[in-house]
Structure formats: C-alpha cells, structure tokens
Amino acid sequence: IGPGNGEFSTLFYAWKRQFFLDVLPEMKKRLRGKFNPMQERRYVKHFTTDGYHCADVPVNSVNLIFSWDTFVFFTEEQIDQYLSSMNRVLIPGGYVFIQYADCHYDRDLEESKRGYWAYNNKSIMEKLITKNGYSVIEMDQFKPGQNYAIFKKPGNVNPIVYKISELTLD
C-alpha cells in the first residue's frame, strides 16, 4: 500500500503475484521500471484507490500486506478504514507489516506538530489493530521515526509463518 517509486518493491520477488495499491495513478508507470515486461504483465497488478480501502483487490488473495512511509500520514479514522478493508483481501493467517507514527517519541511528535504526519501512537495503533480482528505479533521501532507493527488475520491458510527470532549470547 502506497508503494511510491517502488523503493521496496524488489524485496518481494519471493511472492510470484504482487498487488500494488496507491492513490496516485502515475505511480503505476514509475513502478513498471522495477520489473521486466514479462513479469509485469503476468504477475504484477496495479490498483488505484480513491480512498482508504482495498476495494479492487480480490477477496482472500493476499498473504502479506506491506506498507512503509504511508500510514504515518493517515488519521486514526483513515487507518481504521484501511485495516477493515485489508481484512477482506487477506487470506486467513495473512500478515500485515506497516510503519506508523508513534508520537510518544520526539521525532514522530515533531513531524505531527509541524503537520507532516498525522498524530498516532502505539496505544492507538494497537487498539485499531485488535478492533479490526487482528492479533498483534510485534510492535517495535528500528530507529526514531521508524515504528512498525506486524499483525495477523486469524486463521491458518497462509503457508508463510512469521516467527520472532532472537539471538542469545552464550
């Protein structure tokens, strides 16, 4: 969701079928350069949304939704709308990995105060995730301004299983 210029699009080659969803129709042309023409025609589908939903994406067709540098701009209501719509397109057991603004941290709060990012925080995000029927797998931060949530739709149809691995120092 919100792939922009496709900075992360080439990281998902393991998924043969890829859907890209953006509000800007011109992003389709920019993304095309990331894929070879045969792959583009057969396995990559672009959708333009006019709001905060995945209406054109087929039902139960997605096992992972990824979005970075997009949900930081959405209000609580807009995130709620997207999370509801994503539930429709995810297969049972499908995962979501998104970046969000956590204004408990200074950098995120500054972005919100200047009107660039919408106000959000971990508590609000967790509430929205569970309200929409997902279970939280992990919520953390890579570094200031890079807060993420990984959550899952109930079910076990997804062949991909996410496990948190931690290194032990022995």
Side-chain angles (χ1 to χ4, degrees):
I1 296 174
N5 291 321
E7 179 180 352
F8 296 103
S9 63
T10 58
L11 299 177
F12 298 102
Y13 281 136
W15 279 267
K16 199 171 200 177
R17 188 81 168 132
Q18 295 186 41
F19 299 128
F20 293 96
L21 181 68
D22 207 304
V23 294
L24 303 171
E26 61 270 19
M27 290 299 121
K28 179 178 179 177
K29 186 176 181 180
R30 289 184 184 179
L31 278 170
R32 280 199 157 152
K34 302 286 183 181
F35 302 94
N36 71 52
M38 182 59 84
Q39 181 185 27
E40 169 77 24
R41 283 193 294 275
R42 294 179 68 192
Y43 302 120
V44 177
K45 180 78 175 157
H46 303 270
F47 297 103
T48 302
T49 183
D50 61 355
Y52 304 95
H53 56 82
C54 310
D56 294 331
V57 179
V59 174
N60 293 329
S61 63
V62 177
N63 61 356
L64 171 69
I65 293 174
F66 175 82
S67 184
W68 197 262
D69 202 24
T70 300
F71 279 75
V72 293
F73 301 105
F74 297 156
T75 65
E76 186 176 340
E77 181 181 322
Q78 293 163 337
I79 292 171
D80 191 35
Q81 289 174 33
Y82 247 129
L83 294 180
S84 175
S85 185
M86 291 186 315
N87 208 325
R88 184 188 68 77
V89 302
L90 280 169
I91 64 172
Y95 294 97
V96 181
F97 182 125
I98 60 172
Q99 177 196 18
Y100 70 97
D102 186 347
C103 292
H104 287 139
Y105 295 101
D106 291 340
R107 181 174 185 289
D108 301 84
L109 184 58
E110 287 303 315
E111 295 295 341
S112 177
K113 283 181 178 178
R114 74 180 186 104
Y116 188 58
W117 285 358
Y119 182 87
N120 196 359
N121 63 47
K122 185 176 182 178
S123 301
I124 293 169
M125 196 67 204
E126 190 168 17
K127 178 187 78 172
L128 291 170
I129 291 168
T130 55
K131 173 189 173 216
N132 281 282
Y134 302 100
S135 57
V136 174
I137 305 295
E138 184 176 348
M139 293 181 85
D140 208 342
Q141 179 185 76
F142 291 121
K143 64 181 189 178
Q146 295 184 3
N147 311 288
Y148 66 89
I150 301 171
F151 47 100
K152 181 181 177 187
K153 179 179 176 176
N156 58 2
V157 175
N158 195 355
I160 308 298
V161 177
Y162 177 81
K163 293 181 184 178
I164 299 173
S165 298
E166 295 192 25
L167 298 174
T168 57
L169 300 172
D170 290 332

